[in-house]
Amino acid sequence: MQDFLPSLSRLALRLMPLLLMALVAGSTFWLVQVNTPHDESDAQREKRHVPDYYMDNFTATELDEDGTTKMRFTGVRMVHYEDDQTYEVTRPAMRAYEPDRPPVTGHADTGRMNADASVIDLYGNARIVRIQGADPSKDPELTATSSYFQILINDDIVKTDKPVKLTRGPSVMTANGLVFNNVTREVDLLGNVRGTIVMAPRKE
């Protein structure tokens, strides 16, 4: 027992530097943890409406199942926001292609697109044009201008609740709103509707 105590003392003296180093390291780690703000995980962190990436002079093309172009969307600048996964676009322009239907184009000063690109909002000098069909007398060029349009990509519908001017061939109409269904070729003018309708002459 007498030999054991000196051995234990010598062992403690040898380990003292290691114990002191461990104590200093532990204290340093604790101080760092206390004074360093923790980065929360993506799931816990509250996302803010701030840009997390952007693209300049972009072109996005959606293809149909057979490889043909279904829609082309371009712009000067596209900014993505992390909280709602939406996109804001400068000078957006789009063109939708459907078999056996005239292409529909749209452009504006600015635009906003939702996360799955199914809804596009156009703001400022917004213009929608459906190119004339095979028979211009029955299916002339259709143009709609307004300060705002909403395009429902999956439903092939364009609508607005803002004042709109509609030109169909030589006919010109104004209204407080519009719903245009490109599938059925129907146009519903809403609110105070005014204008001039020019009927195409009948063929003899």
Side-chain angles (χ1 to χ4, degrees):
M1 184 70 176
Q2 293 177 350
D3 293 336
F4 177 71
L5 288 175
S7 298
L8 185 60
S9 299
R10 286 193 297 270
L11 180 61
L13 288 172
R14 290 194 192 108
L15 293 178
M16 188 60 69
L18 292 176
L19 293 173
L20 289 174
M21 289 179 63
L23 180 63
V24 171
S27 300
T28 303
F29 178 76
W30 178 79
L31 288 172
V32 169
Q33 292 298 309
V34 168
N35 293 287
T36 302
H38 293 281
D39 290 333
E40 296 178 305
S41 66
D42 289 340
Q44 296 174 335
R45 181 172 58 89
E46 182 180 353
K47 293 184 177 181
R48 300 169 297 161
H49 192 68
V50 296
D52 53 0
Y53 67 85
Y54 66 89
M55 293 177 282
D56 287 332
N57 300 314
F58 71 92
T59 299
T61 302
E62 180 184 359
L63 301 179
D64 214 336
E65 294 179 356
D66 61 0
T68 58
T69 300
K70 185 177 181 180
M71 187 182 75
R72 182 170 289 118
F73 188 56
T74 66
V76 174
R77 186 179 182 89
M78 175 185 282
V79 180
H80 181 264
Y81 289 86
E82 65 169 1
D83 59 339
D84 56 6
Q85 303 296 307
T86 58
Y87 303 83
E88 289 187 1
V89 187
T90 303
R91 304 295 299 172
M94 60 158 291
R95 171 168 284 200
Y97 302 87
E98 291 289 340
D100 303 322
R101 294 181 196 162
V104 176
T105 63
H107 58 81
D109 293 338
T110 59
R112 189 172 186 271
M113 183 168 63
N114 67 344
D116 63 0
S118 62
V119 179
I120 299 175
D121 295 299
L122 301 177
Y123 302 95
N125 298 310
R127 182 181 179 90
I128 304 293
V129 178
R130 190 195 69 198
I131 299 172
Q132 69 180 25
D135 186 351
S137 64
K138 295 181 179 179
D139 200 4
E141 180 178 280
L142 182 69
T143 301
T145 57
S146 180
S147 62
Y148 167 73
F149 284 112
Q150 183 176 76
I151 303 174
L152 307 179
I153 299 297
N154 297 334
D155 298 323
D156 210 359
I157 288 176
V158 178
K159 63 180 183 177
T160 183
D161 57 358
K162 304 297 182 184
V164 60
K165 178 180 179 181
L166 180 70
T167 303
R168 183 179 185 273
S171 301
V172 179
M173 306 289 292
T174 60
N176 294 337
L178 169 147
V179 177
F180 167 50
N181 189 322
N182 192 44
V183 177
T184 62
R185 307 286 180 89
E186 294 178 351
V187 179
D188 291 328
L189 295 174
L190 312 175
N192 187 18
V193 180
R194 295 183 178 183
T196 303
I197 298 177
V198 179
M199 304 297 295
R202 294 182 178 181
K203 295 183 177 179
E204 298 295 334

